[in-house]
Structures are given as structure tokens and as C-alpha cells.
Amino acid sequence: MFYYPSLPFQGSGEGRPVKTLDFAFVGSLTRDRAAFLSALPGHISNYRVLGSGRALQNPNTPPDWNLYHRLLSQARATFNSGFIGHLTHPYIQTGRSVESILAHTALFEEGRRALEGGYVPYVHYVPVLNVNQFVIQLQFLLSHPEHRVAMTDRAFSWFQEHFGPYRDWE
């Protein structure tokens, strides 16, 4: 069972966070994330990207989690890459996928292998293989909020059903 009660998102399903940003990303610009995120200017205007390189970060200084959670909760969409390039396990599932689901934020995931163990592409998240797919599909979901909201609601419900806090107690 995966449940993270310390994540400051509304995990109870009591309402959806107010979305004031089309897109937000906070994290390192490694694993080709910079290539995807650099495509945002000129395609959408209401976004925030706060990125850094891990080599530049002080390991003794934790990231600003409050800002990360606030921006992720306010965003209609975010991007994640679990690509690590290992020969036998090229993708990992990162915490951002779960955090996005709990924040009711549409997740654009590079590739699909990291999430295919339980989540369904285009039902729970949007897999993207290249920058063009990312931009086109992001524009579509931003211009069709009913599809975006339905997808984030399905992902949230699926997560609660399979990984929620009371799953094994019922």
C-alpha cells in the first residue's frame, strides 16, 4: 500500500484545489526535462517553471516544499520524467506522479513505462515521447477543461481506491 499522509494535498477528495496556473514545474532540469519545458514559451503564457541542475543545488539545503506544493496544486498541468536510461530499467516512477494525482493536476509523463504498472495512458495521465506531442496535447487539455478535469478525477479516484489510507481496513 502506498499512502503519503504528509503530502499537503487534499487526499480526502473533499474538493479540488483552485487552479490559477495553466502549467507549473518545480524541480531539476535533468533527464531532458529542460528540452520539454523550453517549448512552453510561445505556446502557453500562464505558467511557472522553477528549475535547477542538481549539481548546482546545495545538498544541505532542502527545496522549498511549500512553494512546490502550492504551485503544483494551483497548476492545471505539470510534467514529469522518470527516464534514467538504465538498460534493464530505463524508467522509474517518481513522487511527482503521485503528488500530481493528489493535487488534481494533469500529469504529462515522458514515456509510459514508469506508470504502466497501474495507471492507464490518456485515462489517468498523458504520455509524451517528444516535445511536439507534449505541446499539442498540453494545448488540447488546456482548451478542453472537461477532458482535463475528467482525467484528473479518474486518476484521483483510482489512486484512492488502490492506494488510499483505508484500502486494507474495509
Side-chain angles (χ1 to χ4, degrees), residues 69-155:
H69 292 131
R70 189 178 77 240
L71 289 176
L72 190 60
S73 291
Q74 292 173 347
R76 292 177 185 89
T78 193
F79 176 79
N80 186 51
S81 174
F83 179 73
I84 57 173
H86 189 273
L87 292 177
T88 56
H89 302 288
Y91 292 90
I92 59 171
Q93 182 177 349
T94 68
R96 184 174 285 116
S97 58
V98 172
E99 294 160 350
S100 299
I101 289 168
L102 293 176
H104 293 270
T105 299
L107 175 65
F108 287 78
E109 179 78 26
E110 181 183 14
R112 62 171 63 180
R113 289 189 190 166
L115 300 180
E116 64 185 12
Y119 300 97
V120 180
Y122 301 105
V123 173
H124 301 125
Y125 72 100
V126 180
V128 292
L129 298 175
N130 59 55
V131 174
N132 291 332
Q133 283 182 350
F134 171 59
V135 169
I136 291 168
Q137 293 179 106
L138 177 60
Q139 289 174 322
F140 175 83
L141 279 187
L142 292 177
S143 63
H144 294 86
E146 68 281 5
H147 293 293
R148 179 184 47 78
V149 169
M151 184 176 67
T152 60
D153 285 350
R154 285 189 302 264

Side-chain angles (χ1 to χ4, degrees), residues 26-43:
V26 178
S28 69
L29 298 178
T30 58
R31 295 186 234 157
D32 293 332
R33 290 175 180 157
F36 283 87
L37 299 173
S38 67
L40 293 174
H43 296 289

Side-chain angles (χ1 to χ4, degrees), residues 3-71:
Y3 180 66
Y4 305 95
S6 63
L7 292 177
F9 300 110
Q10 295 177 337
S12 65
E14 297 172 5
R16 184 180 298 106
V18 176
K19 303 297 183 180
T20 58
L21 293 170
D22 286 336
F23 184 91
F25 177 86
V26 178
S28 69
L29 298 178
T30 58
R31 295 186 234 157
D32 293 332
R33 290 175 180 157
F36 283 87
L37 299 173
S38 67
L40 293 174
H43 296 289
I44 66 170
S45 58
N46 187 19
Y47 69 92
R48 294 268 317 261
V49 173
L50 302 176
S52 64
R54 288 192 180 167
L56 302 176
Q57 293 177 349
N58 180 344
N60 297 320
T61 304
D64 185 346
W65 291 110
N66 292 327
L67 177 61
Y68 170 72
H69 292 131
R70 189 178 77 240
L71 289 176

